[in-house]
Amino acid sequence: MARGNLCSQCAVRGSALCCALSPEQLAAFNRISYRKHYPAGRLLSHIDQEDRFANVISGVVKLTKALPDGRQQIVELLFPSDFLGRPFGAGGYAAEAASAVELCCFGRRQFENLMHEWPGLKQIFLERTLDEIDAAREWMLLLARKSASEKVAALVLLILRRMQVGCDAPTAGPRTARFDLPLSRSEMADYLGLRIETVSRQLARLRKTGVIEIPQGRTVVVRDLAALERMACDLTPGR
Amino acid sequence: MARGNLCSQCAVRGSALCCALSPEQLAAFNRISYRKHYPAGRLLSHIDQEDRFANVISGVVKLTKALPDGRQQIVELLFPSDFLGRPFGAGGYAAEAASAVELCCFGRRQFENLMHEWPGLKQIFLERTLDEIDAAREWMLLLARKSASEKVAALVLLILRRMQVGCDAPTAGPRTARFDLPLSRSEMADYLGLRIETVSRQLARLRKTGVIEIPQGRTVVVRDLAALERMACDLTPGR
DNA sequence: CGTGTCCTTGAGTGGCTTCAATCAGTGTGG
DNA sequence: CCACACTGATTGAAGCCACTCAAGGACACG
């Protein structure tokens, strides 16, 4: 729990909610926030229970919903600069660190008050929330209508896009890329509405057709990005 | 297009976004809004294209997303008092009247400006948007993890709950209810991620087990609400 | 009475799941 | 250093649920 970090030097300064804050506001925000590290697999539910919210600084967080009988579904993946928490209401999700995670934490009430004091903050929070709805609906389309192979291709593409933001952002992305999946096969299945074996088989299929390589467990090399986009029925042209 | 309707006497006065408005604000809103009727099946996309938003006053509107090859999915159903439109961004949905619909329309820019002028409006809009996310994620769980019979039961339950709001709202709902489905079998399938034949078969199954009756096409009588809730894996106890 | 739409029902198929075995990688203890 | 256990991933075989294709019924309309 390291306080004293300077928000102005934060890795997600320009992309998280805080990008809407003036220097003075940022200084005020700096005073009420603190950083915290979590290992992969750690439950973050206490974040909600202790009335805390957070920004993801590094790593990936998964939000899951479950049925009483154990069936479960990841309903969102949070990447660096994403917001974690459910203001003005309950929630009902479980949050868990999918990889090692660094969070920027702050009090629920404090944040809600700041939103009322600083209209710019509420505005950008609202816009992000609307974007989240768009993303959720896009995923509904995937869950309901896409085949297993389309689903897996779409997920690889999603991770590729979200991970390479920040590291390097060439105007026109490269046609090939290498990265590590932040999810286990089981988590991929939980996000895609599939079984782990199906995910494995579809990844093998992508590998056999030369679209990707999997030199080692979680490492993926995209050989043919265009083909991957085609297979994913991707509609969002390189954001 | 009937102007001159009094917002203060509106059927959804207390439940739509406008519930956050003071009498003066409501009067101002009254001046920029007008009512419009649409027959079932009419595309409402122009609402977005003409930079207009709306509240649903009566009837049901469906929001759909589609893949290039024609596969499509209803991503949300809008009931009376729900908001139609996507402020601060694109959207990419098709809106269509599922039944005969009456809308309360207003200009996009005007509404966005009002949100900036009246913090209470923006606040309630934000809260509703967050609720929509919760609903979308609940539906993701359904689409990805529930069986066909669970899906159909959940949809009947959803419609039952959303339709009986307003007409009669006993504290503890009755254990039996009768209503008309605002959706065709085809639309039910589009919302549940199923085929029309599967929906038909599962409805027949519910009928044969005595949980519901279907005296006529779209008319449903729920005989055993508790059983229906059980079959739907329903988690939200009578809201 | 014919035509169209919507819904139902049946038969057969296929894609994903289920069950099960194997493999690779890692850590542990003798 | 190696045997062993354990976890995560892969692969195979069999089964099932929802899909596909197809026919027929119910009802409204001209």
Side-chain angles (χ1 to χ4, degrees):
Chain A
M1 194 186 304
R3 206 176 272 265
N5 282 287
L6 280 178
C7 280
S8 53
Q9 291 161 19
C10 177
V12 297
R13 160 81 177 107
S15 47
L17 283 178
C18 333
C19 72
L21 302 186
S22 69
E24 297 77 42
Q25 291 172 334
L26 198 67
F29 189 75
N30 200 28
R31 261 170 264 129
I32 66 163
S33 64
Y34 57 92
R35 295 182 172 216
K36 207 160 173 200
H37 289 264
Y38 299 88
R42 172 75 105 260
L43 273 176
L44 270 20
S45 312
H46 67 283
I47 290 274
D48 256 0
Q49 284 155 15
E50 289 178 8
D51 269 352
R52 312 208 72 74
F53 295 152
N55 285 318
V56 179
I57 295 179
S58 68
V60 176
V61 174
K62 55 179 179 169
L63 252 48
T64 68
K65 273 186 85 76
L67 257 16
D69 61 11
R71 286 175 285 179
Q72 66 167 2
Q73 177 67 23
I74 297 180
V75 293
E76 192 181 9
L77 288 181
L78 301 176
F79 290 86
S81 82
D82 284 341
F83 177 87
L84 170 59
R86 168 60 164 97
F88 311 120
Y93 315 114
E96 187 182 329
S99 62
V101 163
E102 183 175 10
L103 297 183
C104 164
C105 305
F106 35 88
R108 177 197 190 91
R109 298 291 316 169
Q110 287 172 304
F111 183 74
E112 289 179 356
N113 288 339
L114 287 188
M115 273 208 281
H116 290 129
E117 288 173 35
W118 301 338
L121 180 60
K122 185 183 276 191
Q123 174 65 23
I124 195 165
F125 183 81
L126 172 56
E127 290 179 24
R128 300 245 169 160
T129 305
L130 288 165
D131 287 342
E132 268 185 75
I133 290 208
D134 290 340
R137 289 177 176 165
E138 185 73 37
W139 213 250
M140 286 171 65
L141 181 62
L142 173 142
L143 290 175
R145 297 301 174 187
K146 291 190 180 176
S147 68
S149 61
E150 291 167 333
K151 285 179 176 181
V152 171
L155 179 56
V156 172
L157 208 50
L158 172 82
I159 294 175
L160 166 62
R161 287 178 176 155
R162 293 298 316 255
M163 302 264 304
Q164 78 179 3
V165 171
C167 340
D168 55 82
T171 44
R175 294 283 90 180
T176 177
R178 177 198 200 85
F179 59 95
D180 278 1
L181 297 170
L183 304 179
S184 68
R185 299 290 187 273
S186 169
E187 288 167 326
M188 295 177 72
D190 281 349
Y191 195 30
L192 294 172
L194 298 171
R195 305 271 95 184
I196 179 175
E197 299 93 332
T198 305
V199 172
S200 186
R201 277 185 253 266
Q202 296 302 333
L203 281 174
R205 227 172 123 248
L206 283 177
R207 183 167 44 73
K208 283 168 191 158
T209 55
V211 178
I212 63 172
E213 288 172 26
I214 311 179
Q216 196 265 345
R218 292 200 178 190
T219 306
V220 171
V221 179
V222 177
R223 278 275 160 242
D224 188 346
L225 186 52
L228 193 62
E229 287 168 345
R230 249 178 289 117
M231 300 198 60
C233 295
D234 189 54
L235 299 177
T236 48
R239 53 171 74 183
Chain B
M1 195 185 303
R3 207 175 270 266
N5 282 289
L6 279 177
C7 280
S8 54
Q9 291 160 18
C10 178
V12 297
R13 160 80 179 106
S15 46
L17 283 178
C18 334
C19 72
L21 303 186
S22 69
E24 298 78 43
Q25 290 172 334
L26 198 68
F29 190 74
N30 200 28
R31 261 170 262 129
I32 66 163
S33 65
Y34 56 93
R35 294 182 173 216
K36 208 161 173 199
H37 290 264
Y38 299 88
R42 172 75 105 264
L43 272 176
L44 270 20
S45 313
H46 66 282
I47 290 272
D48 256 358
Q49 286 155 13
E50 291 178 6
D51 269 352
R52 313 209 70 75
F53 294 151
N55 285 317
V56 179
I57 295 178
S58 68
V60 177
V61 174
K62 55 179 179 171
L63 252 47
T64 68
K65 273 186 85 77
L67 258 15
D69 61 11
R71 284 175 287 180
Q72 66 167 1
Q73 178 66 23
I74 296 180
V75 294
E76 192 180 10
L77 288 181
L78 300 176
F79 290 86
S81 83
D82 284 341
F83 177 87
L84 170 60
R86 167 62 164 95
F88 311 119
Y93 315 113
E96 186 181 330
S99 63
V101 162
E102 184 176 8
L103 298 184
C104 164
C105 305
F106 36 87
R108 178 197 190 90
R109 300 288 319 166
Q110 288 171 302
F111 183 75
E112 289 179 355
N113 288 339
L114 286 187
M115 273 208 284
H116 291 130
E117 287 173 35
W118 302 337
L121 180 60
K122 184 183 276 190
Q123 174 65 23
I124 195 164
F125 183 81
L126 172 56
E127 289 178 25
R128 300 246 171 161
T129 305
L130 288 164
D131 287 342
E132 268 185 76
I133 289 208
D134 289 340
R137 289 177 176 164
E138 184 74 36
W139 213 251
M140 286 171 66
L141 181 62
L142 173 142
L143 291 174
R145 298 300 174 188
K146 290 191 180 176
S147 68
S149 62
E150 290 167 332
K151 286 179 176 180
V152 171
L155 179 56
V156 172
L157 208 50
L158 173 81
I159 294 175
L160 166 63
R161 286 179 177 155
R162 293 297 316 256
M163 303 264 303
Q164 79 179 4
V165 171
C167 340
D168 55 83
T171 44
R175 294 284 90 182
T176 177
R178 178 198 199 88
F179 59 95
D180 279 1
L181 297 170
L183 305 179
S184 68
R185 299 291 187 271
S186 169
E187 288 167 325
M188 295 176 71
D190 281 349
Y191 196 30
L192 295 172
L194 298 171
R195 307 270 94 182
I196 179 175
E197 300 93 330
T198 305
V199 172
S200 185
R201 276 185 255 268
Q202 295 303 332
L203 281 174
R205 227 172 122 248
L206 283 176
R207 184 169 41 73
K208 282 168 193 160
T209 54
V211 178
I212 63 173
E213 288 171 25
I214 310 178
Q216 196 264 344
R218 293 201 178 188
T219 306
V220 171
V221 179
V222 176
R223 278 275 161 241
D224 188 345
L225 186 53
L228 194 62
E229 286 167 345
R230 249 179 287 118
M231 300 199 61
C233 295
D234 189 54
L235 299 178
T236 47
R239 54 171 71 184

